């Protein structure tokens, strides 16, 4: 069993693909029509009800809203933000959705989103007490929850088919190469001047939700590989 076999099975990861497409569409709209940015992002107090969801798919920021001395251009910030979040959503999201199914994956996304929105409201109230503004956008606060489940799946594969086989797969190192810096980002309150304490809190909570969900779904994950193994054995004998 290889990781690529999971990606290529017949199940269509509709939720992962929809999240990725919405990230691209909402971000593109905000870049082309900068006045829509504040209508999409989560800001406290919330002005429009749809902001409670659209902020997830909004990456980067239009150049008109950046301070003159900001160290990155709007293009650099947006491409970096969108690109890195897609590296979480697509490789890990598709892997997790293929294994646990779209319904459970949607439950993971929804539960993380509910917690994320709740934490944003709490931090919004805290940070605006002294008259400061509070706004947040980006999919990483939810996509970080996919990563622990994906890593758990990889090590279930290793236990089932042999860690030697797992460690020889190029795709394993690709996924771990994304996961390790992601974990570092979640633990550092200020990285490259674009994150902060609220970001660190949101990312750590998402990681914790992912860990809990991995254990909740461990039976389903084991069942996926057991059924896959049975299917391959039947085909092998059939030949």
């Amino acid at each position: 069993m290889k990781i690529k076999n999971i990606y290529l099975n017949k199940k269509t990861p509709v939720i992962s693909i929809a999240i990725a497409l919405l990230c691209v569409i909402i971000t593109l709209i905000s870049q082309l029509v900068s006045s829509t940015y504040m209508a999409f992002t989560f800001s406290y107090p919330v002005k429009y009800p749809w902001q409670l969801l659209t902020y997830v798919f909004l990456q980067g920021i239009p150049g008109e809203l950046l301070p003159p001395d900001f160290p990155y251009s709007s293009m650099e910030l947006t491409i970096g933000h969108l690109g890195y979040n897609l590296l979480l959503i697509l490789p890990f999201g598709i892997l997790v959705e293929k294994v646990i199914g779209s319904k459970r994956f949607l439950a993971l996304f929804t539960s993380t989103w509910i917690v994320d929105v709740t934490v944003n409201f709490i931090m919004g109230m805290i940070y605006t007490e002294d008259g400061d503004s509070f706004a947040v956008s980006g999919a990483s606060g939810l996509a970080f929850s996919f990563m622990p489940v994906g890593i758990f799946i990889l090590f279930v594969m290793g236990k089932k088919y042999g860690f030697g086989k797992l460690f020889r797969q190029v795709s394993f190192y690709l996924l771990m190469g994304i996961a390790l810096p992601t974990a570092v980002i979640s633990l550092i309150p200020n990285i490259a001047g674009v994150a902060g304490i609220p970001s660190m809190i949101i990312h750590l909570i998402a990681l914790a939700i992912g860990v809990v969900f991995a254990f909740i779904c461990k039976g389903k994950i084991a069942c996926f590989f057991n059924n896959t193994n049975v299917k391959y054995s039947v085909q092998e004998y059939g030949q």
Side-chain angles (χ1 to χ4, degrees):
M1 182 66 177
K2 293 183 178 180
I3 298 171
K4 70 177 183 180
N5 293 341
I6 299 176
Y7 285 110
L8 297 176
N9 72 22
K10 293 181 180 180
K11 293 180 181 178
T12 303
V14 290
I15 307 299
S16 301
I17 293 172
I19 294 170
L21 286 175
L22 283 169
C23 285
V24 173
I25 292 169
I26 296 295
T27 300
L28 185 61
I29 291 172
S30 71
Q31 290 294 315
L32 295 175
V33 187
S34 58
S35 60
T36 62
Y37 180 85
M38 294 308 298
F40 287 147
T41 194
F42 180 101
S43 57
Y44 185 85
V46 174
K47 187 175 181 180
Y48 306 110
W50 59 79
Q51 290 175 292
L52 298 178
L53 184 60
T54 54
Y55 81 93
V56 173
F57 309 114
L58 181 63
Q59 323 298 315
I61 188 170
E64 294 89 335
L65 300 178
L66 285 175
D69 58 345
F70 198 76
Y72 304 99
S73 69
S74 171
M75 186 64 68
E76 290 172 329
L77 186 59
T78 301
I79 291 176
H81 196 192
L82 177 62
Y84 194 80
N85 284 337
L86 289 179
L87 280 176
L88 290 173
I89 295 166
L90 292 174
F92 282 102
I94 290 174
L95 174 66
V96 173
E97 186 173 357
K98 290 270 190 176
V99 173
I100 69 173
S102 294
K103 289 182 179 179
R104 287 181 177 84
F105 185 75
L106 181 60
L108 172 60
F109 177 87
T110 303
S111 58
T112 310
W113 168 71
I114 291 171
V115 174
D116 195 54
V117 168
T118 303
V119 172
N120 283 333
F121 268 110
I122 294 171
M123 289 194 296
M125 288 185 285
I126 293 171
Y127 278 87
T128 55
E129 282 184 351
D130 298 325
D132 294 333
S133 60
F134 179 84
V136 63
S137 65
S140 58
L142 280 77
F144 268 44
S145 67
F146 306 161
M147 191 180 64
V149 187
I151 292 174
F152 184 79
I153 289 169
L154 294 182
F155 283 89
V156 169
M157 283 181 64
K159 185 176 180 181
K160 176 73 177 179
Y161 301 104
F163 285 100
K165 292 180 181 180
L166 180 66
F167 295 157
R168 287 196 295 270
Q169 294 187 46
V170 173
S171 49
F172 171 80
Y173 294 99
L174 173 65
L175 289 170
M176 294 305 293
I178 298 169
L180 291 176
T182 296
V184 171
I185 289 172
S186 69
L187 295 171
I188 298 177
N190 193 326
I191 204 164
V194 297
I197 296 294
S199 177
M200 183 187 73
I201 292 171
I202 289 170
H203 291 151
L204 286 174
I205 289 173
L207 286 175
I209 292 172
V211 170
V212 171
F213 210 86
F215 282 97
I216 291 174
C217 292
K218 64 180 181 179
K220 175 64 178 178
I221 293 168
C223 182
F224 174 86
F225 290 110
N226 290 333
N227 289 341
T228 301
N229 192 46
V230 169
K231 182 179 69 175
Y232 282 1
S233 298
V234 170
Q235 289 177 345
E236 187 178 12
Y237 286 120
Q239 291 175 352

